[in-house]
Amino acid sequence: QVQLVESGGGLVQPGGSLRLSCVASGSIFSITAMGWYRQAPGKERELVATAINEGVTHYGNFVKGRFTISRDHAKKTVTLQMNSVEPEDTAVYYCNALLSKGPALATRQYWGQGTQVTVSS
């Protein structure tokens, strides 16, 4: 069993900062990538940021330098530092991991339960 547990969501004022964390646990052989997606009411889930092995990162176009993703490979964690947040950043944020449970097993995508981020004054 693989679990992704998020923490750090909540209410923040426009222009403020928030830090999301996610830890992966369970039967994990290797992790190819960890990242964050978000889904606002009535909208499709979209990529926020992902960190692939070898230090490669990708961000959604809307991030525009405001967010920073980082991974700790040994601890199997991924963190999203969100700065200069806007009301449009309000959404449920989901941790995502692309991983394998064994050397002969296929890489699959796993999701956390999600954490609510609300940006409002």
Side-chain angles (χ1 to χ4, degrees):
Q1 189 76 347
V2 172
Q3 280 192 316
L4 302 179
V5 179
E6 303 108 333
S7 61
L11 174 65
V12 60
Q13 292 187 343
S17 298
L18 204 62
R19 188 179 181 88
L20 305 182
S21 296
C22 172
V23 58
S25 63
S27 301
I28 298 172
F29 174 72
S30 65
I31 300 177
T32 301
M34 292 187 76
W36 294 91
Y37 286 70
R38 72 183 189 183
Q39 188 166 20
K43 294 188 177 181
E44 293 188 353
R45 192 171 296 190
E46 61 181 350
L47 171 71
V48 179
T50 187
I52 306 170
N53 290 345
E54 294 85 44
V56 176
T57 58
H58 295 289
Y59 292 90
N61 290 336
F62 59 88
V63 171
K64 299 179 181 178
R66 301 179 297 131
F67 302 169
T68 302
I69 190 169
S70 59
R71 272 181 67 185
D72 185 321
H73 293 259
K75 296 181 179 179
K76 299 183 179 65
T77 61
V78 63
T79 299
L80 183 70
Q81 178 65 42
M82 303 169 60
N83 298 327
S84 303
V85 295
E86 303 167 351
E88 293 74 22
D89 294 318
T90 295
V92 177
Y93 284 69
Y94 295 92
C95 180
N96 171 272
L98 192 62
L99 61 87
S100 171
K101 297 173 67 175
L105 297 177
T107 299
R108 287 183 52 197
Q109 195 162 222
Y110 292 83
W111 296 93
Q113 292 296 310
T115 185
Q116 176 71 45
V117 171
T118 302
V119 183
S120 175
S121 55

